[in-house]
Amino acid sequence: MEHKFQELGNRVLIMHAEHDTDRPILAAVIGDRRTLLMDAGNSPAHAELFRQELTRRGLRQPDILALTHWHWDHTFGMAAWNLPAVAHEKTAGVLAALAGLDWSEECLDRLVEEEVISNESAADIRKEYGEERKITLMEPDILFKDSITIDLGGITCELVHVGGDHSEDSCFLYVKEERVLFLGDALGPSVYGGPRKYSSTGFLRLLGLAYDYKAAWYVESHSVPMNEEEFRADLSSWERLARIVDVFGQDRERVMLEMKTYLKVDEFPKELTQGLEYFMAGMKSS
């Protein structure tokens, strides 16, 4: 498999997401004194690929790790890096609760049954690790509640807690001088704890927070980097759908009618059907 890397500005290198085993984007922010790693990867194998690329390019290896949230695909590579880690206090709480598990078949089945993880995550863990799952979870070293600023020398990173449906510990990471905003998975629906759902109000809040940065690059962990114009265009239909749901609530037929009128189409778009279901589920749970 060919692994794709991309430079964002002069100080940021990312390794693109791989969907086969749900590997998210990894990023290195290279300062004059320190290099920051955004997210640890879903396994030591995932981490090693990025480490090798940094070496190949002659770039400084990471000195500190910043986590966007606790989910397995963003944290299970922590031991491979063995770095001081910065994370939200809720991220630390979940990782502490998961520490010491053996990740056997019985363990995975129990976590799925208890809705700590999903069937999809369990399947990806099996595929990424095989039968011998030597997974070592590490707890973060530096915790924060609202936000924390990290000066790497000539470049500054802000890790900001934003919450949301996907995971209540979700954070944005903003690289100020390069105007790169890493969104983690904050704009995603809930994936654990029951059926997937979106709060339309919550989604619009997060979208507003993201737009306020007026970033040069917007980077979601399982997507591709986009400039501001591309990002707004990519989410415009979802934003409109969320606004309509915010007004008409669980009135599915009215929501669909308003969306078709807005888009000037006769049939409700198939690509928005999933979003509609997520928002309807979010309304039922609110």
Side-chain angles (χ1 to χ4, degrees), residues 16 48 102 113 156 169 184 198 206 208 213 229 233 271 278 281:
H16 279 255
E48 183 59 24
D102 63 10
E113 183 179 352
T156 311
D169 62 329
Y198 257 144
L206 288 172
Y213 281 91
E229 182 180 358
E271 63 269 20
Y278 291 165

Side-chain angles (χ1 to χ4, degrees), residues 97-167:
L98 295 176
L101 297 181
D102 63 10
W103 301 99
S104 63
E105 287 300 310
E106 294 77 11
C107 176
L108 286 177
D109 289 343
R110 178 174 59 80
L111 292 174
V112 170
E113 183 179 352
E114 295 174 356
E115 297 184 337
V116 176
I117 63 173
S118 64
N119 272 311
E120 292 84 356
S121 288
D124 285 330
I125 290 171
R126 291 183 179 102
K127 193 169 184 181
E128 178 71 27
Y129 284 88
E131 293 183 2
E132 290 191 27
R133 297 180 206 116
K134 296 179 180 178
I135 298 169
T136 302
L137 287 184
M138 298 180 68
E139 296 179 36
D141 305 273
I142 303 166
L143 309 183
F144 69 96
K145 183 177 181 180
D146 298 316
S147 66
I148 189 169
T149 300
I150 304 167
D151 185 348
L152 302 173
I155 197 156
T156 311
C157 295
E158 292 180 343
L159 196 58
V160 181
H161 177 238
V162 296
D165 290 306
H166 186 77
S167 189

Side-chain angles (χ1 to χ4, degrees), residues 170-227:
S170 284
C171 299
F172 288 169
L173 177 70
Y174 185 54
V175 185
K176 292 175 66 175
E177 289 78 6
E178 295 286 5
R179 296 176 54 222
V180 177
L181 180 64
F182 290 101
L183 301 155
D185 293 339
L187 292 180
S190 65
V191 291
Y192 301 150
R196 295 192 176 196
K197 64 182 184 296
Y198 257 144
S199 158
S200 54
T201 301
F203 175 75
L204 291 169
R205 176 186 69 85
L206 288 172
L207 206 55
L209 290 176
Y211 288 156
D212 283 345
Y213 281 91
K214 300 187 182 304
W217 290 100
Y218 287 84
V219 188
E220 292 190 89
S221 286
H222 296 275
S223 184
V224 295
M226 300 181 191
N227 63 33

Side-chain angles (χ1 to χ4, degrees), residues 65-78:
L65 166 66
L67 297 174
T68 59
H69 60 301
W70 73 266
H71 288 178
W72 80 277
D73 49 320
H74 299 256
T75 60
F76 276 23
M78 286 179 71

